[in-house]
Amino acid sequence: MGKPLNIGIIGCGAIVAQYLKTFAQLESVNLVAVADLDPSRAQAIADSQPGVRALSVDELLADDGVDAVLNLTIPAAHAEVALRTIAAGKHVYGEKPLAATTAEAAQVLEDARAAGVRVGCAPDTVLGTGIQTARKAIDDGVIGAPISATATMVTPGHERWHPNPDFYYVPGGGPLLDMGPYYVTALVTLLGPVSSVIGAASHTRTSRTIGSGPRAGEVVPVTTDTHVTGVLVHESGALSTLIMSFDAVQTRSPNIEIHGETASLIVPDPNYFDGDVEICTLAERDAGFRVLPVSAGYRDSGRGFGLADMAETAEGEQHRANGDLAYHVLDVMESLLRSASTGVSVAVESRADRPSAVPLTEVPQPVA
């Protein structure tokens, strides 16, 4: 791909701050331009980043100095921006999900193959020490043959803190499509691709009240399911039980548990890059769980490491946070929702290989 890869960002909302912080650690990417439908937001970013220009979307896509686009638009616009980026001959890396539907995502991948450009997609949290340490334990046979997993994300709803939560409560939103990519990507990374799913879903309220910001007190309608549960059947034979909810108050369940023949793992929150991995072995069952030493992954990493991994991956090799993986994760979630609406098991048509493991890697920290 060449170093560094010159990056243009489209979409300067709240998430951009996390990427900007990480870019200071990464030598393989170089931010050169930003664009947003609100020019003042793009200009504010440019003013804070030396050498970065604020452009219109059209100007950024036409700029020969931009090699790849970081697509931080809202999910409904992911496919449109990705397709325009590919048509401009540039690589694209986007926030999750890859697109609003698998049909849109398939077009993105098809156009990218035809154009000879790369597609990458968040979440890249699975490249951090949390998920990678758990993966190494599984790959090294520490837990024996994997049998099952549970993945739980419970919250009473994003309207409590998000000033504009409308898109969470319409088709294309909901807890599964919002938070599911973190959990399903982690489960595929840990246990391999999914061959079929069966699910159920519900919603307890027909409206939500915004709790903060200038629209506080405004009521927004709920037109999608807000509690989704299901079972993912991995090709390996392992079974993952998934619970994603905007309806429940709190839980004591670990974010992810993995159960094998000889040990169980508690895996940290896949929304983050680090966290303790805990293990309880059959031989030490009475002693309970203990923390495993960090043994794999990018240490002290953050959002944008997937983009850097794409920039550093040699031509002809597959980068880790790749479009095929993101498509498979979207296919799993879409299939689960289809199963929930029909009441029958649904085969997952796509397949994605587990990304290559990340050895324990120390990352240079930005100079204060």
Side-chain angles (χ1 to χ4, degrees):
M1 294 283 285
K3 294 184 180 181
L5 196 67
N6 288 333
I7 305 299
I9 295 176
I10 297 179
C12 297
I15 194 68
V16 73
Q18 295 185 44
Y19 281 91
L20 295 177
K21 180 180 178 181
T22 305
F23 282 173
Q25 299 173 252
L26 303 174
E27 297 179 351
S28 56
V29 295
N30 178 39
L31 181 62
V32 297
V34 292
D36 193 275
L37 292 177
D38 180 350
S40 66
R41 294 206 300 188
Q43 190 61 57
I45 297 297
D47 289 344
S48 70
Q49 305 293 314
V52 174
R53 294 166 293 144
L55 305 174
S56 70
V57 172
D58 289 343
E59 289 170 339
L60 189 149
L61 292 174
D63 195 312
D64 291 336
V66 174
D67 303 316
V69 166
L70 174 57
N71 180 6
L72 302 183
T73 58
I74 62 172
H78 284 181
E80 177 188 356
V81 172
L83 290 170
R84 290 185 63 189
T85 299
I86 293 164
K90 303 181 190 303
H91 309 288
V92 61
Y93 182 98
E95 259 300 323
K96 52 79 184 171
L98 180 59
T101 66
T102 52
E104 290 182 347
Q107 189 65 58
V108 169
L109 296 182
E110 181 181 339
D111 284 14
R113 283 191 292 268
V117 299
R118 291 185 186 256
V119 175
C121 187
D124 52 1
T125 48
V126 294
L127 306 183
T129 54
I131 301 300
Q132 289 294 319
T133 293
R135 173 178 174 160
K136 181 169 172 52
I138 294 170
D139 291 352
D140 287 351
V142 173
I143 70 169
I147 298 168
S148 67
T150 58
T152 305
M153 192 291 301
V154 163
T155 173
H158 290 351
E159 74 281 358
R160 295 172 303 116
W161 56 268
H162 199 293
N164 295 291
D166 310 61
F167 66 96
Y168 291 117
Y169 297 107
V170 298
L176 181 63
L177 291 178
D178 174 45
M179 296 299 294
Y182 296 105
Y183 289 80
V184 177
T185 303
L187 290 170
V188 172
T189 297
L190 294 168
L191 299 174
V194 176
S195 58
S196 66
V197 298
I198 187 163
S202 65
H203 64 273
T204 58
R205 283 171 276 173
T206 58
S207 65
R208 300 283 178 128
T209 302
I210 299 175
S212 64
R215 297 174 61 199
E218 184 178 334
V219 175
V220 297
V222 175
T223 57
T224 194
D225 285 324
T226 47
H227 184 97
V228 181
T229 187
V231 175
L232 316 182
V233 181
H234 295 265
E235 287 184 4
S236 65
L239 305 177
S240 291
T241 301
L242 192 70
I243 299 173
M244 301 280 112
S245 184
F246 285 165
D247 288 342
V249 175
Q250 187 56 277
T251 180
R252 281 186 165 180
S253 299
N255 296 100
I256 297 176
E257 279 187 333
I258 307 290
H259 303 290
E261 290 180 307
T262 60
S264 294
L265 293 176
I266 294 177
V267 182
D269 188 343
N271 192 39
Y272 299 98
F273 289 80
D274 54 10
D276 289 337
V277 177
E278 299 179 60
I279 188 169
C280 180
T281 67
L282 188 59
E284 301 172 321
R285 185 171 181 270
D286 291 342
F289 284 88
R290 59 180 171 83
V291 175
L292 282 177
V294 170
S295 60
Y298 292 112
R299 198 191 293 270
D300 298 322
S301 50
R303 293 182 191 270
F305 270 71
L307 177 58
D309 180 79
M310 186 175 85
E312 294 168 5
T313 300
E315 186 174 353
E317 297 180 8
Q318 182 71 288
H319 54 284
R320 293 182 174 94
N322 61 76
D324 291 336
L325 174 61
Y327 180 89
H328 180 64
V329 168
L330 180 59
D331 192 13
V332 169
M333 295 188 299
E334 202 171 82
S335 298
L336 187 59
L337 292 175
R338 188 159 64 251
S339 174
S341 68
T342 61
V344 298
S345 175
V346 172
V348 177
E349 299 297 332
S350 65
R351 189 186 185 284
D353 293 329
R354 292 171 81 203
S356 59
V358 180
L360 184 59
T361 305
E362 301 292 337
V363 179
Q365 296 302 299
V367 177

